[in-house]
Every structure is written in C-alpha cells, then in structure tokens.
Amino acid sequence: MSEKTSFSEEEIVEAIHEWPVTASDNLYDDDQTERAHNPASVSSFFLRNVGRAKKVSVADEGHDAGGGEELLVDTALAVWWKRTGRHMVALSSLPSTDNPDTLIRYIAGTDEGLDFMQDEIKRLRGKLSKGSKNLSVPSALSSFYERLGNLSLAMMHLETVLQKTPEDKEAKWRHHRLERAVQYRQAQEERLMKMDHNSHSELDFPKPIEVDRVSCCKLSYVDFFHKYAVTSTPVIITGLSVTREPWTLEHIAQVAGNCKVTLKTPVKESVKWARLEDSETMIVREFIDRIHDKKEDAKPLYIFDWSLPIHCPDLAKGLTIPKYFAGDFLQRTLPGSLYQDSWPSLFVAPAGVVSDLHVDTFGSNFWMALFQGRKRWTFFPKSDTSLLYPVFSTPWGCDPNFSIDLSSPDMKQFPLLAQTSPIQCVLEPGEVLFVPAGCPHRVENLETSVAISGNYVDLSNIDLVKRELTLAGLLDERSCDLLEQFNNPDFPSNLWSEIDHLPYEEFKAWAELKELYEKFDITSKTLKEQKIDVFEQK
C-alpha cells in the first residue's frame, strides 16, 4: 500500500472523473425506470461521500486537531486504485466491463485490495484509540467492515455515528441496510445449525414446482386478487388480448424503429441489477436488424425494461392493460410522481440472453405479457431470500444481488439452496405472467422474444411498498413524496371487483375512473374483516 493514505480533495475529484464509467451514466435523466433501478450512480455516490465527509469534519472541527475527512470504502478503493492499485493488479484479470460498481467489487476481492482495506482499518482504529472525535472515522470504519463482511463491527461503528447525529439520513439509510444484511445472515445461521453437515456432499437442488395456468374466462378479478395477489402466488393467465394487433419484431421496428435505446448486456461478474449492464446505444431498428442477422459471435444485447410511456408513447397506445393489474395505485398519484410513467416497458431479446436472479424494485408487483418466443422463469418465494445468499454489492443500493449461479448450483458452497422452494414455468406466446412482490426470479430467453411488462401497486403489496419507500425516502425526495401521497388518508386506495380490461389511454386517465370511485368495494377494511392480513402474508 502507498505510504500516503490521506487523500486531498483534488486527488479525490481527479480519481472520480478518471474512474472508468459507462457512457450511459448520463442517460438516467429522462428515464424513470432506469432511475428506479439505479437511484445513484457511483460517481454521484463518490461526490456525495466527499461532501458528507467534509460536513462531518467541519461539524467536529476542534475536537480532532489535524483530522482529515475519511472516505467510505468504495470511494477510498477508487482513489487507491487510481493512485496505486492499478500498478499492482494485473489489468488482464479485471472483468470485461467498465462499470465502476462491478470493478470496485472485483478490486475489493483481490489480495491487494484486501490488504489495502485491512491497512485502512488499522489506521482508522488507531485514530479512534487516540481519542478522535471526528465522526467520519467510525463512519468509514463501518463501511470497510461491511465490505469485508464483518457486520457486527460495521453496525457498532455506524451506531456510534447515529448516537451523535441521529438525524443523519445517510447514516440511517446505511443502518437500515445493515439491519437487512444482519437479518439475512441470522436466518442463514439458524438454518445451517439445523442441517446435517455430514450430508452436504449429498445435497440436491430441489425440483421446481410448476406455475398454475388459468384461462382468463375462468378467472375473475376477485378470484385473482384473493387467490394469487394476496397470497403472493405466481400464476400464468391465458386467453388475454393485450394488443390491438400482433406485436412482432417487424411491428416494433415499424413503430419504434427510430427511437434510441440503451441496450443491456449480461456480465457474469456484475453486481448490477439482474447482472445486466449498460452497453451500446442505437436505434431500435438497428438492434432488430442485428437480431435477424444471427451472428454467432455477436455480443449478447437486450432491450430490457425500456419505458414505453417515456420513450415511445405511440407504441404504448396500442396496449390494453389486463383488469387484474388495472387498479394500479401509481396511476392515482399526482402528475410527474415517481414511477407513474415508468411502465409498461418493452423487452426484446435474442435467444440465450439471461437476466439473472434479482428482485423487482420498491416492493412492486410485476406482470409480463409475452408476444413472441419462449421464456423460462425460475422464482422463489420472498421467504426464501436469505437462502439464496443475498449480498449488497453497491454503495447505495438496497435491492440485493445473489451470490449463486442457478445455471449450475454449487450445493457444497451454498448448501442452503437445498432448502429453497423453487417455482418454474416456460412462458409461451399469448400468455401473461403475474410475479408477486419481493419474489427473487431469473429469466432465460429460450428463443428470440418480444414482451411487455408492468410493475404496479395495489392493496396486495402497499404495506411492503411503503416500507421500501420509507427507506428510499431517506436519500431520494421523490420516493419521499410518493410515500407521503400513499400515506395520505384521502388517497384513493380502494379496488373495484367489477373493473374490466382498460385501453392504455383509460389506464392512464385516472381522472375519468375517479368518477366511479364510490363503487370501488375492496378496501383495507374489508380485507381485515375477511381476516386477510396482507402484511403477514408478505
């Protein structure tokens, strides 16, 4: 490690701006869906961290003469890498990505990165032993211990910060995330204690159970809501007409062909959501032409969760929202509210592309209508999350990544997989899939596919959504605003048992539906009267 460990502000800013970042880091301004999945880029995290360290140091000025601002682990690693680390680690060993989160995660796991972090811990502990009152010291220590997996010490040092600055929103956010990590680990330890460790070599991945298939002609809205949504049970609904005309690759090219899209690509080592990272930006027609070319050596690219209301409203106008999801509370919020125009979104993928195990954002329910191709879905109940070895790999993300590889489960390294309850299906063209809030899932495109999806909120998941927004609201004003609307006693939260499928324009026009609101007969009160406790079922 370099002898010099105190970083000047000029060095920090230089490292931030020279750190390899993707060209798409500036593309989130107009895409609410991207912002939902990427609430803070690494660069903005670094800058926030620098500013926060200065604020803490100034607040304690005089208590710690000569004390400088201490950086959280990811910022410190980036600066160390720029100054020293890149001369110590073989560049050829780095993951084939320029995503900073993924690179930092990799660098932190190298011998050199581990040595740097251990040296920094010794230096920071030395400051505390000398009586330092600079709160950036325990704050930084907490981040280093969390990165190294020592959650108890990470929690202890972060609680020191919160005792002195209980209104520090960033520290509170980090504390909540640490609590989740601790809960996952405790659940894992409890399960492991009950296992026969002599039988680990004999463990098998459980055989998945199949998802129900139900015709829309035999599934009323009320039956769907009580049997599937409230009980967090996936279901495939058949016989629905979601578009006015067939959505083929040719139709997508005709309507959206001139729209620009930032494509995703799978990266095995990625710590990003679903292990998908931003890749090239091109017009939709060019991407579809590439799919038709079917070059074997072509880089796998994916139109993934591309917001139609934001990027191509003309394509969205041809949709009909199935009645099962048409009571979306997001459409009842004020114009411009977070997530209101994020969905429906488009998915177009060549055969073989995978979105790896992930959980949908902010506790939302999810539905997908498939028009072309076949997709294999593997889900797990929300209660299985700790058994899937979740980790928080990015500095300001609260949706976990998962350490496991479901394409080839390593039962010796991850024995708790044997206790999961996987659910699986192959979604066929013309079918609509419901995925309950909080369920980890993985998707394989078995053939070239075209699909749309929507995330939504209703009485089946509103409690979970409020908990997630409470956490996100500590750092994000728009999440805080959305939570405030949902918590307003006058927010229209009733559902209607007689609701029908809605053309897209009517789905987006809550003002017109509001005139019928007095007929909406499913309320939180009626659920309680029927002894349906949605919160407990989550």
Side-chain angles (χ1 to χ4, degrees):
M1 187 184 83
S2 170
E3 293 180 1
K4 183 181 178 185
T5 56
S6 178
F7 307 125
S8 69
E9 182 176 352
E10 290 76 17
E11 287 178 305
I12 294 166
V13 173
E14 182 184 7
I16 291 166
H17 287 291
E18 290 195 10
W19 184 261
V21 295
T22 60
S24 59
D25 276 349
N26 296 320
L27 296 177
Y28 301 147
D29 291 343
D30 298 320
D31 193 333
Q32 296 180 42
T33 304
E34 287 290 1
R35 287 204 305 273
H37 301 156
N38 302 276
S41 70
V42 169
S43 296
S44 64
F45 157 69
F46 289 155
L47 292 169
R48 182 196 295 118
N49 184 18
V50 174
R52 182 182 184 281
K54 291 179 69 177
K55 177 183 67 176
V56 171
S57 181
V58 170
D60 287 272
E61 191 173 7
H63 294 283
D64 186 20
E69 303 106 2
E70 300 296 347
L71 305 177
L72 302 188
V73 61
D74 288 69
T75 308
L77 277 164
V79 178
W80 167 79
W81 173 260
K82 194 264 180 181
R83 176 191 292 169
T84 304
R86 61 182 177 179
H87 305 297
M88 303 169 64
V89 178
L91 297 181
S92 60
S93 68
L94 294 177
S96 56
T97 177
D98 60 359
N99 183 277
D101 285 328
T102 298
L103 291 170
I104 286 176
R105 175 71 174 179
Y106 177 83
I107 290 163
T110 64
D111 291 341
E112 295 81 3
L114 291 169
D115 287 343
F116 166 75
M117 290 189 289
Q118 292 290 358
D119 286 345
E120 282 294 276
I121 286 174
K122 290 177 183 177
R123 184 180 65 81
L124 293 167
R125 290 181 62 181
K127 281 197 167 188
L128 289 182
S129 67
K130 293 177 181 177
S132 173
K133 303 298 183 182
N134 185 340
L135 291 182
S136 71
V137 177
S139 180
L141 260 176
S142 173
S143 72
F144 278 92
Y145 279 125
E146 181 181 5
R147 175 61 81 183
L148 292 172
N150 193 328
L151 301 184
S152 58
L153 285 178
M155 185 73 79
M156 181 186 75
H157 287 290
L158 191 56
E159 287 175 347
T160 298
V161 177
L162 283 171
Q163 287 170 5
K164 299 291 182 64
T165 57
E167 299 306 314
D168 185 332
K169 290 185 177 181
E170 291 183 3
K172 288 168 69 174
W173 186 94
R174 290 172 56 201
H175 188 266
H176 281 298
R177 192 176 79 159
L178 264 174
E179 285 182 325
R180 291 190 178 186
V182 168
Q183 290 170 359
Y184 288 145
R185 181 167 294 181
Q186 289 175 342
Q188 291 171 346
E189 291 172 350
E190 290 173 4
R191 290 292 192 104
L192 284 170
M193 288 178 63
K194 297 177 181 179
M195 291 184 69
D196 179 2
H197 293 278
N198 294 324
S199 64
H200 279 195
S201 60
E202 303 172 3
L203 294 175
D204 292 318
F205 187 73
K207 182 179 180 181
I209 63 173
E210 289 294 316
V211 178
D212 287 349
R213 270 184 170 83
V214 183
S215 168
C216 65
C217 299
K218 299 179 181 179
L219 185 64
S220 68
Y221 172 78
V222 173
D223 287 344
F224 165 80
F225 181 74
H226 289 292
K227 185 175 181 180
Y228 298 106
V230 169
T231 62
S232 293
T233 305
V235 64
I236 294 172
I237 306 170
T238 62
L240 288 170
S241 296
V242 181
T243 62
R244 296 171 188 169
E245 56 185 300
W247 275 32
T248 61
L249 288 175
E250 289 68 27
H251 177 73
I252 303 297
Q254 180 180 358
V255 180
N258 293 325
C259 298
K260 285 187 177 181
V261 58
T262 298
L263 301 164
K264 301 287 186 180
T265 189
V267 176
K268 182 179 180 181
E269 304 90 348
S270 178
V271 299
K272 303 302 286 184
W273 198 69
R275 291 185 184 166
L276 294 172
E277 298 188 353
D278 288 343
S279 185
E280 305 170 42
T281 297
M282 65 180 68
I283 62 172
V284 171
R285 181 178 292 105
E286 181 183 351
F287 171 66
I288 290 176
D289 287 342
R290 287 196 182 192
I291 290 179
H292 286 312
D293 288 344
K294 295 182 179 180
K295 293 181 180 179
E296 293 185 2
D297 58 346
K299 183 179 182 180
L301 297 172
Y302 195 175
I303 294 181
F304 181 86
D305 210 5
W306 188 58
S307 172
L308 294 180
I310 293 173
H311 295 299
C312 191
D314 286 342
L315 198 54
K317 290 176 183 177
L319 295 172
T320 296
I321 307 302
K323 62 184 178 183
Y324 311 106
F325 325 117
D328 181 17
F329 289 175
L330 296 174
Q331 306 312 313
R332 306 178 188 182
T333 59
L334 297 174
S337 295
L338 182 64
Y339 303 124
Q340 187 185 66
D341 292 320
S342 294
W343 298 285
S345 56
L346 179 68
F347 294 72
V348 181
V353 175
V354 174
S355 58
D356 228 312
L357 195 63
H358 63 279
V359 177
D360 276 19
T361 191
F362 84 103
S364 55
N365 287 327
F366 175 91
W367 61 273
M368 172 170 279
L370 184 62
F371 307 124
Q372 177 178 330
R374 297 160 66 242
K375 290 175 177 274
R376 179 184 291 118
W377 284 73
T378 303
F379 330 76
F380 298 85
K382 184 175 182 292
S383 56
D384 275 1
T385 302
S386 62
L387 307 178
L388 299 169
Y389 297 87
V391 292
F392 296 109
S393 303
T394 56
W396 296 100
C398 214
D399 292 323
N401 300 107
F402 295 92
S403 304
I404 60 173
D405 179 2
L406 286 180
S407 65
S408 181
D410 187 336
M411 304 303 294
K412 291 183 179 180
Q413 185 176 359
F414 304 112
L416 290 176
L417 287 177
Q419 298 190 25
T420 60
S421 301
I423 308 163
Q424 199 168 78
C425 70
V426 173
L427 192 64
E428 303 283 349
E431 297 181 332
V432 175
L433 174 67
F434 166 68
V435 182
C439 291
H441 51 276
R442 179 179 189 266
V443 187
E444 305 166 71
N445 289 280
L446 303 178
E447 302 167 351
T448 297
S449 62
V450 177
I452 62 163
S453 78
N455 291 57
Y456 75 98
V457 181
D458 66 11
L459 285 175
S460 69
N461 65 325
I462 185 63
D463 289 319
L464 177 59
V465 166
K466 287 180 179 180
R467 295 205 302 275
E468 295 300 312
L469 289 176
T470 298
L471 178 57
L474 291 171
L475 301 181
D476 177 47
E477 291 183 2
R478 299 187 74 212
S479 295
C480 196
D481 172 73
L482 182 57
L483 176 63
E484 185 176 343
Q485 292 185 60
F486 284 157
N487 281 332
N488 188 325
D490 295 326
F491 184 82
S493 60
N494 296 348
L495 299 172
W496 191 19
S497 60
E498 298 301 321
I499 195 170
D500 202 353
H501 312 304
L502 295 180
Y504 176 75
E505 294 87 345
E506 293 182 25
F507 172 70
K508 298 296 293 183
W510 166 246
E512 297 178 15
L513 281 177
K514 195 172 183 179
E515 297 178 2
L516 301 171
Y517 186 65
E518 62 181 19
K519 297 182 179 180
F520 288 21
D521 52 341
I522 301 175
T523 70
S524 57
K525 182 178 179 180
T526 61
L527 293 180
K528 290 179 180 178
E529 290 173 350
Q530 297 171 43
K531 297 182 179 180
I532 297 175
D533 193 328
V534 176
F535 182 86
E536 287 299 325
Q537 298 213 30
K538 298 302 179 191

